[in-house]
Amino acid sequence: MFMTVVGALNEGFLQTLKLFLVTLIGALPLGLVVSFGSMSRFAPLRWLTRTFVWIIRGTPLIVQVYFFYYII
């Protein structure tokens, strides 16, 4: 029984690592685009990225999840 539990924990750990890697692959380019956009000399791009960051920071995570799941 102990080995069954350890096997299930190992399987869950591997799934967590896979999810982390997928998230990292998606978040790294988005973060770079937003960070470079907020430092841009092109004013509309700078305004757009700073507004995006302001909205994301100002809303709770559950509201963002609902928005992206149900509306988009």
Side-chain angles (χ1 to χ4, degrees):
M1 182 159 165
F2 177 74
M3 293 306 291
T4 305
V5 172
V6 170
L9 286 174
N10 283 337
E11 186 177 332
F13 178 69
L14 291 176
Q15 284 297 106
T16 302
L17 284 179
K18 290 177 190 175
L19 182 62
F20 168 72
L21 289 175
V22 168
T23 304
L24 184 65
I25 290 170
L28 197 60
L30 179 63
L32 287 172
V33 167
V34 169
S35 67
F36 289 140
S38 66
M39 295 185 294
S40 174
R41 291 183 183 168
F42 185 59
L45 179 63
R46 187 175 58 237
W47 177 83
L48 182 68
T49 55
R50 289 184 180 178
T51 303
F52 173 76
V53 169
W54 179 74
I55 290 171
I56 293 298
R57 280 185 178 175
T59 57
L61 181 60
I62 192 70
V63 172
Q64 295 171 18
V65 170
Y66 281 154
F67 179 78
F68 288 113
Y69 186 76
Y70 289 114
I71 296 174
I72 295 179

